[in-house]
Amino acid sequence: MALSGGEARSGVGVVRCPGVWRIWLALACAVFSAPVAANEAAEPSATELIEGLLSGRVPVGGPFELTDQAGHRRTDTDFRGKLVVLYFGYTSCPDVCPTELQSISLALDQLGAAAKAVQPLFITVDPERDTPARLAGFVSAFHPRLIGLTGSPAEIRKTAIAYRTFFAKNSIATAGDYSVDHSGFIYLVGKDGRYLGFLPPGLPPDAIADAIRARLEPD
């Protein structure tokens, strides 16, 4: 399974699927159309974020400092030397997030010993509810090496925007009981911290494993 996005910067050959891109962009416009708070009005829209990601014409990724499920502050530099598999979601997600994390976990199992060179990360888009303690219980249900990260709303939004990830509380949210609309790409980040590309949602574990394996093989 070829990666998408960022190939011009990384030198990776990628199969371009403009038809698929248009479908994803149309879905973004339809699904992520909930109104946002006024203080978020100046931020990129769902369409702008996802179009930038799919086109590969804008930078993706960058430094971050967040808090893991043990309460320790972690930065992107902590994961140098590992191929990072990064997914944004939230612990109250009813189905999509658990399914994607399960697929990532099964993909790592398929890699066997090679998975030691991979670091899976889960960054919440619901920092109000996803405390370190809540993340700890959630990530433990998946891969034993999965690290959950949370932070202040400003820290999470900054990191999400850097990765061209859209998220917003559902417009019918009530206090303490709400869902979060969010894009669901899997990001791969190289051992040097450089963004490599993304995988679309819904891939089976073997396709995810193939994409990771290709990145672990020497040039």
Side-chain angles (χ1 to χ4, degrees):
M1 177 68 188
L3 292 178
S4 299
E7 67 277 7
R9 293 183 299 279
S10 63
V12 180
V14 172
V15 177
R16 290 184 175 274
C17 303
V20 175
W21 290 7
R22 286 193 293 270
I23 291 170
W24 277 112
L25 193 54
L27 286 174
C29 295
V31 176
F32 304 125
S33 58
V36 296
N39 64 351
E40 297 175 9
E43 295 178 354
S45 67
T47 302
E48 291 168 334
L49 288 169
I50 297 175
E51 184 178 41
L53 177 68
L54 298 181
S55 70
R57 292 193 295 264
V58 297
V60 178
F64 62 79
E65 182 176 355
L66 299 169
T67 302
D68 69 15
Q69 71 263 33
H72 302 137
R73 292 296 280 177
R74 307 296 293 268
T75 72
D76 56 296
T77 60
D78 292 337
F79 309 111
R80 293 292 187 270
K82 299 285 187 181
L83 177 68
V84 171
V85 179
L86 173 60
Y87 183 76
F88 289 85
Y90 65 112
T91 65
S92 299
C93 183
D95 44 36
V96 175
C97 299
T99 298
E100 293 294 307
L101 289 175
Q102 181 68 6
S103 293
I104 292 170
S105 298
L106 292 173
L108 293 176
D109 289 342
Q110 289 184 23
L111 291 171
K116 294 179 181 179
V118 181
Q119 178 58 64
L121 297 180
F122 172 75
I123 298 181
T124 183
V125 293
D126 185 17
E128 295 178 32
R129 293 183 295 189
D130 286 346
T131 62
R134 187 161 180 166
L135 280 177
F138 181 74
V139 300
S140 65
F142 300 98
H143 199 274
R145 292 179 47 244
L146 177 63
I147 293 176
L149 296 170
T150 188
S152 69
E155 289 170 337
I156 293 298
R157 189 159 295 280
K158 178 182 177 182
T159 304
I161 289 175
Y163 279 91
R164 317 297 295 180
T165 290
F166 173 81
F167 72 95
K169 281 185 182 180
N170 191 286
S171 59
I172 60 173
T174 58
D177 183 18
Y178 55 86
S179 61
V180 182
D181 294 330
H182 65 94
S183 48
F185 300 98
I186 297 171
Y187 303 89
L188 297 190
V189 180
K191 295 180 180 181
D192 59 357
R194 183 176 52 142
Y195 168 73
L196 299 177
F198 70 87
L199 301 175
L203 287 183
D206 58 342
I208 297 174
D210 287 344
I212 295 173
R213 188 179 294 109
R215 280 313 194 158
L216 293 175
E217 294 173 352
D219 296 333

